[in-house]
Amino acid sequence: MIWIRLANHDKEAMNFQGSRRRGEDGVAMVIDFLLSNARLVLGVGGAALLGIATLAVKRLIERAGRAADDEKVEQKMAESWEELSLVSASPTLLRKGIEGVVMKHVAKATRQQKDALSQSADLCQQPQTSPLEVQPKPESKSKRLQLCVLSLQERLQQYYHTRAALAPLEVQRAQSLALDICTEIQAFMHSRHPDMPLGEMSLGGSLLDDLQVVSADHACLMVPLQLEASLWRLIPGEETLLTHPLHWMVRRVNLEYFPRGRSYWDRYLVGGYLSAEAVVNMFSKAIMESMNWLSISSTLDCLVRPVPGGPDLRLEIRPDDEKGAMCSDQPLFVTVLPLLREGDVVLTAQTELTSPWVNAWHLSLYPWENQRLSQLDEADGGCRRHALKILKAACRLNPALRPLEAAPLANLILHLSDGEGDWSESSLDVRFQQCITELIGYLEQGALHSYFKPAVNLLSSLSEDQVDQMGFMLYCAVSEPEILLI
């Protein structure tokens, strides 16, 4: 991870002189100056043109358009270059040859700014009407309002309703399809494996808890295994040879009194422990390979098929082109998740998280995190879940931030809640900016510790390149948070 400060500029490069031309000529001179110096800095200091395009071009053009003479232009430009010295550059982006892409963004930003300046000039040139004259029409008033820039608070609310929050009808249809699949699987398992001790299957996860964002495209089908309390013991990860807080094990006990074969799940023992991998393989054969998905697709008026090749048990549901069961072509993915429950502890069979340990079960912290967020919001009427959904949507829609999953964001808000008491809707913009700043600090440290399991680093799965790109994007968002809400 390398974040480089922009180098100090040569006095000769900063010696910007020109005539007192206004309008397009003045704007063009500023852009030529910016691009020439950007290329100079790129070659010498390895600075990121992307940061220049997003943070500096708009301010330089605005200040140049408002300047009264060349001395004020020079003063404003010097202030902008001081601001640019705070912008970090991502060497990963530079290695990918992004200069051409950035120049395109610069040109686009220039055209947009010139159009805005010309519109503002046209409004200023219109003669003012006296109180006795006819009031302007509503159409002209709306055009003036369109020129107003939304505040960050208003922009966050707009982003939440247009991008993060899901339409109730979309959520209802996705839940209905997932429940239909749940019913089919449970009926099949009871008929084909009546002796298998399973609890009531149900939906879980973000779709059920109103934490899913952007689109209702995934659901989780919980399949609880019923274990005899006298024959099995759940061992915390810290007490196992793995010493990982999230990697628990399930030991078969009392073998001297109840030998192997007394429990249905004894057939999935590996080395005296219930193997999560063996359980997943069993469900893969029993559900994914044995069920008649063509018949189920015909019954549900949609195409249902297993997703092959992955470590998890996943089904893909697509609307039938002829009958159109869903309102969009967005597929719904349903993950079948075997799990164990004991009190408030939930262990899931997710081999992709516990590999290469075949006997390890994953301790899910999601129920605790979701419950804690709900309790805090109910206690003070806060907007923590609201802020979480905005952050999740921003990360999902931003390629640089996409590797950042929901768990680190939820724990970020939980940690911030310990020090910040005001989480009202009116302070959403302040909390959002704080989240950006705090997340940059965690990326610099390379660690964001779990709220409930401090020994767990939630950023350990990120590569250096991913951390570098995330840090650069978030560092740009410190002064321009709106770039995350596009």
Side-chain angles (χ1 to χ4, degrees):
M1 179 180 59
I2 304 175
W3 296 347
I4 308 174
R5 286 189 175 274
L6 296 179
N8 293 329
H9 299 284
D10 200 321
K11 290 184 178 181
E12 295 181 359
M14 289 297 298
N15 186 16
F16 176 73
Q17 295 181 351
S19 62
R20 297 176 178 271
R21 290 182 297 175
R22 301 292 188 266
E24 294 185 359
D25 293 339
V27 173
M29 292 176 66
V30 174
I31 293 301
D32 291 340
F33 167 76
L34 173 64
L35 296 182
S36 62
N37 282 275
R39 293 190 184 96
L40 174 61
V41 175
L42 180 63
V44 176
L49 289 177
L50 182 59
I52 297 174
T54 55
L55 298 177
V57 171
K58 183 176 70 173
R59 294 178 180 172
L60 281 175
I61 298 175
E62 290 176 350
R63 289 165 178 168
R66 295 194 301 264
D69 50 35
D70 293 337
E71 288 79 5
K72 291 185 178 181
V73 173
E74 294 176 359
Q75 179 182 358
K76 297 297 182 180
M77 292 175 64
E79 294 174 359
S80 293
W81 284 116
E82 291 176 359
E83 294 172 356
L84 286 177
S85 65
L86 299 177
V87 180
S88 297
S90 171
T92 304
L93 297 177
L94 293 176
R95 289 196 298 269
K96 293 180 180 179
I98 200 164
E99 180 176 2
V101 178
V102 173
M103 289 306 171
K104 185 184 300 183
H105 283 288
V106 172
K108 182 178 179 181
T110 303
R111 291 194 301 269
Q112 293 177 349
Q113 189 63 31
K114 289 168 66 176
D115 293 340
L117 290 174
S118 61
Q119 292 177 7
S120 300
D122 293 340
L123 290 176
C124 294
Q125 292 176 0
Q126 292 180 359
Q128 297 183 354
T129 58
S130 63
L132 299 178
E133 293 179 359
V134 180
Q135 296 295 327
K137 296 181 180 181
E139 291 79 8
S140 61
K141 184 178 181 180
S142 63
K143 291 181 180 179
R144 293 184 183 181
L145 292 177
Q146 291 175 358
L147 296 175
C148 298
V149 179
L150 295 176
S151 65
L152 178 58
Q153 177 77 7
E154 295 169 334
R155 184 70 183 94
L156 287 170
Q157 295 292 350
Q158 181 189 62
Y159 187 82
Y160 175 81
H161 292 292
T162 58
R163 309 302 292 273
L166 302 180
L169 182 60
E170 181 183 3
V171 175
Q172 181 181 356
R173 289 184 174 179
Q175 290 180 350
S176 177
L177 274 177
L179 285 174
D180 290 340
I181 294 295
C182 175
T183 302
E184 294 289 340
I185 293 178
Q186 184 160 280
F188 178 82
M189 294 298 294
H190 285 172
S191 63
R192 295 292 293 269
H193 305 276
D195 58 334
M196 184 182 294
L198 297 176
E200 192 73 17
M201 300 183 187
S202 60
L203 293 183
S206 59
L207 181 64
L208 189 67
D209 297 327
D210 190 29
L211 285 177
Q212 198 157 134
V213 297
V214 182
S215 62
D217 57 2
H218 60 280
C220 190
L221 174 57
M222 322 292 282
V223 183
L225 281 60
Q226 293 182 337
L227 300 180
E228 299 86 350
S230 59
L231 302 182
W232 302 94
R233 178 190 170 196
L234 275 56
I235 304 177
E238 296 88 346
E239 300 178 13
T240 67
L241 295 176
L242 305 180
T243 66
H244 193 293
L246 301 184
H247 292 175
W248 286 41
M249 301 183 76
V250 183
R251 178 189 295 167
R252 176 69 159 86
V253 296
N254 294 328
L255 284 171
E256 61 275 18
Y257 303 107
F258 305 98
R260 292 186 60 168
R262 295 293 297 270
S263 174
Y264 177 89
W265 303 107
D266 283 343
R267 64 193 71 183
Y268 305 109
L269 281 175
V270 176
Y273 295 89
L274 181 61
S275 171
E277 184 178 271
V279 171
V280 169
N281 292 337
M282 179 272 293
F283 276 108
S284 178
K285 294 178 180 179
I287 297 177
M288 300 296 168
E289 300 177 10
S290 302
M291 293 187 68
N292 189 343
W293 297 112
L294 290 178
S295 176
I296 295 176
S297 299
S298 177
T299 302
L300 300 181
D301 295 335
C302 58
L303 178 61
V304 183
R305 59 187 178 187
V307 179
D312 55 349
L313 309 175
R314 182 176 299 188
L315 298 171
E316 179 185 3
I317 307 175
R318 286 188 176 272
D320 195 321
D321 293 338
E322 296 181 357
K323 300 181 180 180
M326 294 179 67
C327 61
S328 68
D329 294 331
Q330 177 71 35
L332 173 67
F333 293 95
V334 178
T335 301
V336 181
L337 187 61
L339 56 85
L340 303 171
R341 283 198 183 101
E342 187 177 280
D344 62 346
V345 173
V346 177
L347 303 182
T348 59
Q350 294 178 276
T351 56
E352 66 274 16
L353 300 179
T354 57
S355 178
W357 317 111
V358 297
N359 291 343
W361 291 72
H362 177 71
L363 173 64
S364 177
L365 300 179
Y366 171 80
W368 300 352
E369 295 163 356
N370 183 42
Q371 182 180 18
R372 179 60 177 167
L373 287 172
S374 299
Q375 290 174 347
L376 291 173
D377 280 348
E378 291 174 1
D380 58 9
C383 62
R384 295 170 184 83
R385 289 165 54 89
H386 193 152
L388 175 60
K389 294 177 70 172
I390 294 177
L391 289 172
K392 288 177 62 176
C395 291
R396 180 172 177 177
L397 297 175
N398 191 310
L401 303 179
R402 197 165 294 160
L404 203 58
E405 298 179 348
L409 299 176
N411 283 266
L412 168 68
I413 294 178
L414 288 175
H415 285 301
L416 191 58
S417 297
D418 288 342
E420 297 292 343
D422 184 12
W423 283 87
S424 60
E425 288 287 344
S426 60
S427 63
L428 178 61
D429 55 339
V430 178
R431 299 288 88 84
F432 181 77
Q433 290 176 305
Q434 273 188 309
C435 286
I436 295 175
T437 305
E438 291 292 322
L439 191 52
I440 290 175
Y442 289 125
L443 288 173
E444 289 178 342
Q445 299 172 10
L448 198 172
H449 298 287
S450 170
Y451 186 81
F452 293 99
K453 293 288 183 178
V456 177
N457 178 14
L458 299 175
L459 301 181
S460 60
S461 62
L462 300 177
S463 65
E464 290 187 3
D465 288 344
Q466 290 174 334
V467 173
D468 179 44
Q469 295 184 32
M470 289 180 188
F472 173 64
M473 177 60 67
L474 293 172
Y475 203 77
C476 294
V478 170
S479 56
E480 294 287 346
E482 290 83 1
I483 66 175
L484 301 180
L485 307 177
I486 298 176

